[in-house]
Amino acid sequence: MDDRFENLIDLYGADLNAWPDKEMAQQARQAALSDPQFRIMLDAAKRVDRSLASLSVALHDGTAMRERTDSMQEAVLKRIDEQAQRRRAFSVRTLSRLAAGIVLACGLGIGVGQIVPDQPLTQGDAFDELLLGSGDSSAGTRSG
């Protein structure tokens, strides 16, 4: 068997039609018919070519799958970001409403306090009111 054929198989694969030197390809065909060792080497090279082709397809499919996975991941992250922005906007809106409610309650309290006349309490009455509560009759009477 000629080492040139082995080198050409290593370079161009087992498909003799793909060899650039057509004369060497024809000689390799004749050698495959007459030399069983060369035929065995050519068959092994065909199996390697098929394996490489399958690997190429698998890698291409893997790349395509990775691209789809990346696009799905990007879409999910975008949706999460949109949800987070909506929640932040909701949170700011809620806080502003709460602050407005507190301001309104304070304003109403001040307004009612201006309208309702004060009932004077003595220091003891205020202290009893705090300790005993407003519903206890032993807290004392209010003067006024």
Side-chain angles (χ1 to χ4, degrees):
M1 177 174 56
D2 195 351
D3 285 339
R4 291 178 300 160
F5 290 143
E6 189 174 343
N7 289 335
L8 289 170
I9 289 173
D10 287 343
L11 287 173
Y12 303 112
D15 182 9
L16 301 178
N17 294 323
W19 287 14
D21 188 346
K22 299 305 176 191
E23 184 179 324
M24 288 298 289
Q26 186 59 32
Q27 290 176 12
R29 281 187 194 90
Q30 290 172 356
L33 293 174
S34 63
D35 186 358
Q37 290 293 77
F38 182 71
R39 198 171 28 254
I40 291 171
M41 185 175 70
L42 199 57
D43 288 340
K46 286 179 183 178
R47 285 192 300 276
V48 169
D49 287 349
R50 281 193 300 268
S51 296
L52 289 174
S54 296
L55 179 61
S56 176
V57 168
L59 287 174
H60 177 71
D61 289 347
T63 301
M65 185 176 287
R66 251 192 318 276
E67 289 172 358
R68 285 192 302 267
T69 303
D70 289 346
S71 67
M72 286 189 300
Q73 181 181 8
E74 186 177 321
V76 168
L77 290 175
K78 182 179 177 184
R79 183 153 171 98
I80 289 171
D81 187 46
E82 289 170 357
Q83 290 289 335
Q85 287 177 359
R86 270 192 240 138
R87 287 183 186 209
R88 267 187 249 123
F90 174 77
S91 176
V92 169
R93 185 174 51 230
T94 302
L95 287 176
S96 64
R97 288 180 178 172
L98 180 63
I102 291 171
V103 168
L104 180 63
C106 289
L108 287 173
I110 291 171
V112 169
Q114 295 296 323
I115 295 172
V116 175
D118 286 339
Q119 296 179 359
L121 294 176
T122 63
Q123 186 174 4
D125 288 340
F127 185 72
D128 287 344
E129 184 83 19
L130 288 173
L131 285 179
L132 301 175
S134 61
D136 195 342
S137 62
S138 66
T141 58
R142 293 186 185 179
S143 59

